[in-house]
C-alpha cells in the first residue's frame, strides 16, 4: 500500500498535468473558433467559384488544356495534410495510415507523397517514403502559402513530374474532426464529367474573350481549392486537439478524485493504527 507521502506526490503530479491539459484545451478552443470562422466564410465563396469554373470548362470542353489531362497516367502524387504537433488524438496517425493505404491501392503506378505539416514531413523522412516536395510549415496557413503550393504543384504536373495529383486531408464536421478524405486536384477532368448537358443550356458572354476570363479564373480555382483543403484540415486538427485535451482534463479529474479517496482511507488507517498502538501500550503499562 502506498504511503501518504507517495499519494500526495502523485496528486501534485496529476494536478500539474490537469492544469496543463486544461490550458491547452482552452487555447485549442480559441484557435478552433478562429479557424472555423475563416473556413465557414470562405467555403460559400469557393463553392460558387467551383460551380462557375465547372460550367465554363464544360461549355468549352472542346478546347484543349494540359491541366485537364488527356495523357496516360503513370505517376500519381498524394498531398498529405498533417499537423505540426501531436496531442490531438489519432488525427495524424489516421492520415498517415490513409496515405499508406492509398499507396497500396495505387501500387501499379509510380507514386509519391507531398507531406504538408511537420508530422507528415518527419514521418516520410523516417520511413524513407518517396516525396515529390515537402511543406513542413503548415501552421502558417494563409492564401500566399496556398498560392505557392498551387503554383509548384501545377508546375510539377505540367512538367511531367506527375500525371495526377490528389489531396488527402481530414474533413470537418460539427462536433469534432471528421475522417480522412481523398479528393482529386490535377488533372481537372473531374470538373466536366457529367456536366456537358447542363453547361450547354447556359449561355455566357465573355469580355474580352474566353481565354482572358477562363485562364485567371482557373488559376484562382486551383489556389482556392488548396486553400480550402488547408483550412478544413487546420480546423479539424484544432477540433481534435480540443477534444483530446478536454478528455485528458476529465480523466485527470477522475484520477484526482480516486487519489483523494485513497488518501483519506490511508490517513484514516494510519490514525487508527496509531491509536491502537497507544491503547495497546497503555494497557501494557497498567
Amino acid at each position: 500500500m502506498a504511503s501518504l507521502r507517495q499519494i500526495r506526490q502523485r496528486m501534485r503530479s496529476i494536478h500539474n498535468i490537469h492544469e496543463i491539459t486544461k490550458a491547452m484545451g482552452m487555447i485549442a478552443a480559441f484557435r478552433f473558433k478562429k479557424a472555423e470562422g475563416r473556413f465557414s466564410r470562405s467555403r460559400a465563396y469557393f463553392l460558387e467559384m467551383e460551380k462557375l469554373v465547372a460550367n465554363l470548362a464544360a461549355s468549352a470542353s472542346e478546347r484543349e488544356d494540359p491541366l485537364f489531362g488527356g495523357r496516360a497516367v503513370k505517376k500519381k502524387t498524394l498531398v498529405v495534410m498533417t499537423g505540426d504537433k501531436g496531442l490531438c488524438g489519432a488525427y495524424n496517425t489516421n492520415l498517415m495510415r490513409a496515405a499508406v493505404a492509398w499507396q497500396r491501392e495505387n501500387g501499379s503506378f509510380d507514386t509519391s507523397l507531398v507531406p504538408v505539416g511537420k508530422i507528415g514531413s518527419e514521418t516520410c523522412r523516417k520511413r524513407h517514403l518517396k516525396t515529390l516536395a515537402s511543406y513542413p510549415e503548415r501552421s502558417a496557413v494563409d492564401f500566399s502559402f496556398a498560392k505557392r503550393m498551387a503554383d509548384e504543384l501545377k508546375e510539377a504536373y505540367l512538367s511531367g513530374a506527375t500525371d495526377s495529383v490528389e489531396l488527402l486531408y481530414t474533413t470537418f464536421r460539427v462536433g469534432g474532426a471528421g475522417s480522412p478524405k481523398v479528393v482529386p486536384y490535377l488533372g481537372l477532368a473531374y470538373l466536366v464529367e457529367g456536366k456537358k448537358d447542363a453547361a450547354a443550356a447556359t449561355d455566357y458572354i465573355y469580355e474580352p474573350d474566353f481565354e482572358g476570363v477562363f485562364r485567371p479564373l482557373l488559376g484562382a480555382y486551383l489556389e482556392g481549392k488548396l486553400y480550402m483543403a488547408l483550412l478544413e484540415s487546420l480546423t479539424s486538427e484544432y477540433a481534435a486537439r480540443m477534444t483530446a485535451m478536454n478528455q485528458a482534463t476529465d480523466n485527470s479529474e477522475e484520477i484526482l478524485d480516486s487519489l483523494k479517496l485513497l488518501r483519506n482511507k490511508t490517513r484514516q488507517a494510519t490514525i487508527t493504527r496509531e491509536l491502537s498502538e497507544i491503547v495497546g501500550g497503555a494497557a501494557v503499562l497498567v
Side-chain angles (χ1 to χ4, degrees), residues 18 20-33 86-91 94 170-178 234-252:
H18 171 270
I20 292 171
T21 55
K22 185 177 180 180
M24 291 181 68
M26 293 174 65
I27 293 171
F30 172 75
R31 291 178 175 173
F32 164 74
K33 203 66 180 176
L87 297 177
C88 49
Y91 176 86
N94 290 339
T170 302
T171 58
F172 170 70
R173 61 178 175 80
V174 178
L234 189 66
T235 304
S236 299
E237 181 190 357
Y238 287 143
R241 180 168 290 110
M242 181 176 63
T243 301
M245 291 300 100
N246 289 340
Q247 289 177 348
T249 302
D250 294 341
N251 292 339
S252 63

Side-chain angles (χ1 to χ4, degrees), residues 4-56:
L4 275 174
R5 184 177 181 180
Q6 291 173 327
I7 294 173
R8 286 169 180 156
Q9 286 178 344
R10 190 178 179 195
M11 287 180 65
R12 281 194 293 269
S13 299
I14 298 297
H15 178 74
N16 291 338
I17 294 173
H18 171 270
E19 293 301 309
I20 292 171
T21 55
K22 185 177 180 180
M24 291 181 68
M26 293 174 65
I27 293 171
F30 172 75
R31 291 178 175 173
F32 164 74
K33 203 66 180 176
K34 286 185 63 178
E36 184 189 24
R38 290 170 63 192
F39 173 66
S40 300
R41 290 191 298 270
S42 304
R43 190 167 187 268
Y45 171 80
F46 172 74
L47 290 177
E48 288 300 318
M49 176 189 285
E50 185 174 46
K51 188 186 302 182
L52 176 60
V53 171
N55 286 338
L56 289 175

Side-chain angles (χ1 to χ4, degrees), residues 11-281:
M11 287 180 65
R12 281 194 293 269
S13 299
I14 298 297
H15 178 74
N16 291 338
I17 294 173
H18 171 270
E19 293 301 309
I20 292 171
T21 55
K22 185 177 180 180
M24 291 181 68
M26 293 174 65
I27 293 171
F30 172 75
R31 291 178 175 173
F32 164 74
K33 203 66 180 176
K34 286 185 63 178
E36 184 189 24
R38 290 170 63 192
F39 173 66
S40 300
R41 290 191 298 270
S42 304
R43 190 167 187 268
Y45 171 80
F46 172 74
L47 290 177
E48 288 300 318
M49 176 189 285
E50 185 174 46
K51 188 186 302 182
L52 176 60
V53 171
N55 286 338
L56 289 175
S59 65
S61 59
E62 70 280 358
R63 302 171 188 266
E64 294 184 359
D65 191 306
L67 289 176
F68 282 80
R71 64 178 189 247
V73 176
K74 298 179 181 179
K75 304 174 185 176
K76 281 192 171 186
T77 300
L78 182 68
V79 181
V80 187
M81 299 181 183
T82 64
D84 288 336
K85 299 177 182 177
L87 297 177
C88 49
Y91 176 86
N92 292 309
T93 302
N94 290 339
L95 280 167
M96 293 311 301
R97 283 177 180 169
V100 173
W102 177 87
Q103 284 187 313
R104 284 198 302 265
E105 292 172 3
N106 295 277
S108 58
F109 299 95
D110 181 8
T111 61
S112 60
L113 301 179
V114 178
V116 183
K118 192 176 295 183
I119 299 293
S121 299
E122 286 295 316
T123 302
C124 289
R125 182 182 62 81
K126 291 177 181 178
R127 295 186 182 181
H128 305 289
L129 301 176
K130 183 181 178 182
T131 59
L132 185 65
S134 181
Y135 301 91
E137 67 277 18
R138 197 203 67 161
S139 58
V141 172
D142 53 26
F143 197 76
S144 61
F145 177 68
K147 185 179 187 305
R148 177 165 64 89
M149 278 188 63
D151 290 341
E152 292 176 2
L153 289 173
K154 185 166 63 173
E155 178 62 28
Y157 181 81
L158 294 175
S159 66
T162 182
D163 301 316
S164 172
V165 179
E166 295 175 284
L167 307 179
L168 169 63
Y169 60 93
T170 302
T171 58
F172 170 70
R173 61 178 175 80
V174 178
S179 56
K181 179 182 180 182
V182 176
V183 298
Y185 185 63
L186 290 171
L188 293 171
Y190 61 88
L191 280 175
V192 297
E193 290 176 357
K195 298 178 182 179
K196 292 183 179 180
D197 294 338
T202 306
D203 187 20
Y204 291 101
I205 299 175
Y206 303 103
E207 181 64 36
D209 53 25
F210 176 81
E211 298 295 326
V213 173
F214 185 64
R215 300 302 169 196
L217 191 60
L218 190 60
Y221 166 76
L222 289 174
E223 296 164 3
K225 182 164 187 174
L226 197 56
Y227 180 62
M228 289 303 302
L230 288 166
L231 275 184
E232 188 168 3
S233 175
L234 189 66
T235 304
S236 299
E237 181 190 357
Y238 287 143
R241 180 168 290 110
M242 181 176 63
T243 301
M245 291 300 100
N246 289 340
Q247 289 177 348
T249 302
D250 294 341
N251 292 339
S252 63
E253 289 176 353
E254 292 179 7
I255 295 173
L256 279 174
D257 290 339
S258 300
L259 288 174
K260 286 177 182 177
L261 182 61
L262 179 61
R263 180 195 61 186
N264 294 338
K265 287 181 178 180
T266 304
R267 185 167 55 186
Q268 185 63 44
T270 302
I271 294 172
T272 302
R273 187 181 66 252
E274 291 175 352
L275 286 175
S276 298
E277 290 174 354
I278 293 171
V279 171

